[in-house]
Amino acid sequence: MHLSFNERQVLELVFLGTAVSRVEMAQTLGLTGASITRIVSRLMDEGLIDESSEKSGQQGQPRRNLSIVAGRRLSAGVNFSRKQVQLALIDLAGHVVGVENSPITEPHAKQIVAATRRGLAKLLDENARTRADLVGFGVSVPGNFGRNSRDFRAHELFPQIEGLSFADDLVALFDAPVFFENDGACAVLGEYMFGAGRGTNHVFLIHVGHGVGGGGIVEGRLFKGANGNACLPGAIYPIGAARPSGQDLLDHLAEQGLPDIELTDDDLNGGEARPFINAWINRAGEQLGRTAQIISGLFDPTMILIGGRLPRWINEGLSDRAGEFIGKNPGPSRGLKTVGLVPSKLGQCSGSVGAASLPLFANYFAGAVNDTFSNYRNGWRGNTNSLRR
């Protein structure tokens, strides 16, 4: 179904829980009561929202609240590392229905597609669903997009997916649009819809994957830049120098005699690696404090999140260390304070949940109206180059 801008606004308010009654919606959106009634009726007819009564304890009519119908409008998303493909299944009500991790030996297109096929089949079977229940499928990719619509530049550790050669194979799996975005954009969208940044209209996420990426939400929509590559703080730190990236952490551990660890490995959750990780957190956290200072000056966000591929305890350590730096240094400008870092709520699921958020955002959120999920990444189907929203 195609939703108008006002219908999307109403649905988004219900999703975020910021206005759950008709009266509140009319006041928030500046619409008439008759318009709200008409919109709510259509959304209910489509099975998107439901209305329930709430006893107010006072005389008169009970308060009637709106909510998203759970278990409907499913979306799937995939995120992958060098050793693992992670698939998430979510619904429009804000529930993470399930997450499935599948091992791979290398991030080759065929292995990614095969692991995605297995993971999706398992999640759908466990929840008695079929592919026809999906409104879309999202893919979080490590890299950036060039000026040409098919010019995908993968992170240097993922040469096997340069150019997104596996796109056609993924599209062939689904009877639904497939959306591609870089991992930072996916992660911040997931946090905006499902995580620590839920409903925060101005939020920046520092994405610590193998590199240092990022994503931003400005006025409730993805801030993408001219080519979909905005919000990349990694440029602050020269390649080859010490930097707060996941690969830098892995290199640090290798220097301490712990090679062959991947960001998705359990080795990062403690054990003999923990003291070396703590030493890295001490240095990288201070660097991220400086990054937060720069982001505060450039974007003036309400919230800066730290997330990506690292375990939650490492994100928390980086946040604490960055906070120490922020507390000792002035803000970026007079009267403007540095925004402290908040650990991701989705943790290592931010990529897959964020990818799964792409189709829901594009189909149901007001912030996607007039947005450009750039070129072939937007609802791409098959080899036809047709761009469908």
Side-chain angles (χ1 to χ4, degrees), residues 10 13 21 44 69 140 165 168 186 198 206 223 233 247 264 266-267 288 297-298 305 321 332 353 382 385:
V10 168
L13 288 177
S21 73
M44 291 179 68
V69 177
S140 171
S165 59
D168 285 320
C186 285
R198 186 177 176 91
I206 301 173
F223 181 69
Q247 188 57 46
T264 54
D266 288 337
D267 300 276
L288 289 172
L298 289 176
L305 295 166
R321 184 67 183 93
V353 172
N385 292 332

Side-chain angles (χ1 to χ4, degrees), residues 110-366:
K110 290 183 178 180
Q111 291 199 34
I112 295 171
V113 172
T116 299
R117 189 191 302 272
R118 293 193 302 271
L120 180 63
K122 182 177 180 180
L123 287 178
L124 291 176
D125 182 64
E126 289 175 347
N127 293 280
R129 298 305 180 101
T130 68
R131 291 177 189 170
D133 294 315
L134 297 178
V135 301
F137 190 88
V139 185
S140 171
V141 288
N144 301 313
F145 296 91
R147 296 183 183 277
N148 184 294
S149 63
R150 288 181 175 272
D151 184 17
F152 173 68
R153 302 299 177 90
H155 187 280
E156 60 184 7
L157 295 175
F158 295 85
Q160 301 93 332
I161 62 167
E162 186 79 13
L164 279 181
S165 59
F166 65 105
D168 285 320
D169 294 329
L170 281 174
V171 170
L173 288 177
F174 314 107
D175 185 23
V178 178
F179 296 77
F180 294 89
E181 276 298 341
N182 66 49
D183 44 16
C186 285
V188 74
L189 185 62
E191 293 289 343
Y192 173 70
M193 294 180 64
F194 292 90
R198 186 177 176 91
T200 304
N201 278 342
H202 295 85
V203 57
F204 193 105
L205 180 138
I206 301 173
H207 184 273
V208 182
H210 287 90
V212 188
I217 298 286
V218 176
E219 296 183 350
R221 64 188 295 177
L222 276 171
F223 181 69
K224 298 164 68 65
N227 303 296
N229 299 319
C231 306
L232 298 178
I236 299 172
Y237 306 103
I239 301 294
R243 57 205 313 261
S245 71
Q247 188 57 46
D248 185 82
L249 169 59
L250 299 183
D251 291 342
H252 171 72
L253 293 177
E255 291 172 357
Q256 308 305 317
L258 298 172
D260 302 322
I261 295 177
E262 177 53 40
L263 295 181
T264 54
D265 290 347
D266 288 337
D267 300 276
L268 293 185
N269 286 316
E272 61 176 325
R274 194 169 189 115
F276 305 121
I277 295 175
N278 284 331
W280 179 84
I281 288 173
N282 189 55
R283 186 261 296 164
E286 181 172 327
Q287 289 181 301
L288 289 172
R290 172 59 177 156
T291 304
Q293 188 179 57
I294 294 171
I295 291 171
S296 297
L298 289 176
F299 289 91
D300 191 22
T302 303
M303 176 184 293
I304 301 177
L305 295 166
I306 176 73
R309 297 183 182 273
L310 299 180
R312 182 176 177 83
W313 79 270
I314 297 182
N315 289 330
E316 290 173 345
L318 291 171
S319 174
D320 291 342
R321 184 67 183 93
E324 295 175 9
F325 173 87
I326 292 169
K328 297 177 182 178
N329 292 274
S333 183
R334 184 176 183 182
L336 180 60
K337 294 183 178 180
T338 299
V339 179
L341 300 186
V342 176
S344 161
K345 198 171 184 178
L346 298 176
Q348 291 175 303
C349 293
S350 64
S352 59
V353 172
S357 300
L358 290 171
L360 297 182
F361 186 80
N363 283 284
Y364 303 117
F365 269 47

Side-chain angles (χ1 to χ4, degrees), residues 15 22 27 68 117 176 230 282 311 354 368:
F15 176 90
R22 301 186 188 212
Q27 294 172 342
I68 304 290
R117 189 191 302 272
N282 189 55

Side-chain angles (χ1 to χ4, degrees), residues 11-22:
L11 188 61
E12 189 167 346
L13 288 177
V14 176
F15 176 90
L16 296 174
T18 52
V20 293
S21 73
R22 301 186 188 212

